[in-house]
Amino acid sequence: MVRRNEIFGISIVALLCLLLIAFSQKETTNYRRSPKYQQLIDLEESFRVSNNFTVPTPTIQDVISMQRNLLLSELHDYQFPEGDNLEDYTLFTGGQPVRTIIITTWRSGSTFLGDIINSLPGNYYHYEPLLEYGIMQIRGSPHAETALQTLRRLLNCDYTSLYSYLEYGMSHVYLFTHNTRLWNQCEMYPQYCWNYTFLNEMCRLFPFQSMKTVRLRLWLAESLLEDEDLNVKVILLVRDPRGTLQSRKHRDWCPGEPDCDQPNNLCADMVSDYSAAIQLMKNYPDRFRALRYEDLSLNPEEIVEDLFDFLGLYFHRDVKRFIDSHTRINVGGVSSTFRDSKNAPFHWRMDLNYTEVQYIEENCDEAMKLWGYVRSKNASSMREFNPLTAYDIK
Ligand SMILES: *[C@@H]1O[C@H](CO)[C@@H](O)[C@H](O)[C@H]1NC(C)=O
Ligand SMILES: *[C@@H]1O[C@H](CO)[C@@H](O)[C@H](O)[C@H]1NC(C)=O
Ligand SMILES: *[C@@H]1O[C@H](CO)[C@@H](O)[C@H](O)[C@H]1NC(C)=O
Ligand SMILES: *[C@@H]1O[C@H](CO)[C@@H](O)[C@H](O)[C@H]1NC(C)=O
């Protein structure tokens, strides 16, 4: 009788675990636990307690092998290039991942683009690795060396000596929450979440490694491109300074921070990024791209399909589905990427007054010319003119 109960109990727990896994896969685009997901966890917990049933806690190795199986099932319909398979892309099998970095600045649409790339099955997302630097731009010494070292280590899945990065993350968990596949495991096994042994092994399972940073200026990224072993692809994401500054006005961490609220600083960076872009385009035509947020928003599916082609990634139906569901209507809060993507980039035309727009345009004349943004004529035409024109970085 006792044995039958035990077998029954084990089956129930196993079933619940399977359901949890199924749910956690469905939930990869949303790091918050859904009520249903929470219900399952509670149900499993109450079952264990009421039956005085203890299941041994999985070890790091157990969690890693569960994650491996999750990845195999997640990637079952991923189409690798002819002749390749998963082992060619994971560090733990001696392969070489597809590595991608988005270089941009605050409020330039990088949450949107970063989440699009992360909707790809098998992606591991190094979200904003330079968070601990605060509201500042890294343009050179003294911070460039340590910042680049952090990026390089993360892209190699080496968390071993990233003490301050991990320490910062423990009290600012959004360092990890955007990395949805990692975060699912962190929610289930919080005791391992910030353990570098666990993180090293977890990261090394993933064939696609993406990263985005808003704090590092483009010319510094050249040293990452130079590193042939890293074989990283870099995307510079650019936005109209009027849109960027309008959006920053509404963030409480921005006003009063000169690298954030001063048009001349933003636009000097845009000018310097432009010369760096010309240089990188010349030296690394297959591994560097510039992209305007406005173009992405007006034509997301076409642009992303083209971008994935450049990155060497398969345009999986999950990515298409993510774009479809995130580009129609405005729902959600501050950093929500659910939006009417065709209007979002041009919201500044209604929200800023003409004095503010003129002030930005005076400070941004050169940056706007280089990146193809048109100055407004007067207060009334400002509300509906087309601020976009062509740009050329060849
Ligand atoms: C649960 O099991 C343990 C060991 O088998 C026993 O010592 C304990 O008294 C049990 N608790 C309850 C509430 O049955
Ligand atoms: C990480 O986890 C392993 C295994 O549980 C443990 O031995 C090690 O001490 C942990 N490391 C840290 C830095 O907590
Ligand atoms: C424009 O907006 C700024 C900042 O919100 C405000 O200080 C200024 O008075 C406004 N100017 C006009 C002409 O409405
Ligand atoms: C504002 O500029 C537009 C476009 O150049 C022009 O057609 C319009 O007459 C101008 N309006 C005013 C009030 O100057």
Side-chain angles (χ1 to χ4, degrees), residues 249 353 355-356:
K249 258 178 73 177
N353 65 39
T355 315
E356 294 171 292

Side-chain angles (χ1 to χ4, degrees), residues 59-60 191-192 194-198:
T59 63
I60 287 183
Q191 70 271 36
Y192 300 142
W194 307 97
N195 180 309
Y196 63 74
T197 310
F198 168 70

Side-chain angles (χ1 to χ4, degrees), residues 250-262:
H250 301 283
R251 301 283 85 83
D252 54 9
W253 43 262
C254 182
E257 300 284 351
D259 272 349
C260 194
D261 70 357
Q262 296 298 309

Side-chain angles (χ1 to χ4, degrees), residues 81-120:
E82 192 67 33
D84 286 0
N85 54 44
L86 180 57
E87 288 85 70
D88 300 316
Y89 291 86
T90 53
L91 285 171
F92 90 104
T93 48
Q96 203 47 274
V98 178
R99 299 185 175 97
T100 312
I101 308 184
I102 302 168
I103 303 269
T104 185
T105 184
W106 301 284
R107 312 307 297 171
S108 297
S110 63
T111 304
F112 182 44
L113 183 58
D115 285 353
I116 290 177
I117 294 177
N118 193 46
S119 68
L120 182 69

Side-chain angles (χ1 to χ4, degrees), residues 284-296:
Y284 305 95
D286 302 328
R287 294 201 280 124
F288 172 75
R289 273 278 174 102
L291 173 65
R292 289 190 308 196
Y293 171 54
E294 292 81 7
D295 297 323
L296 170 66

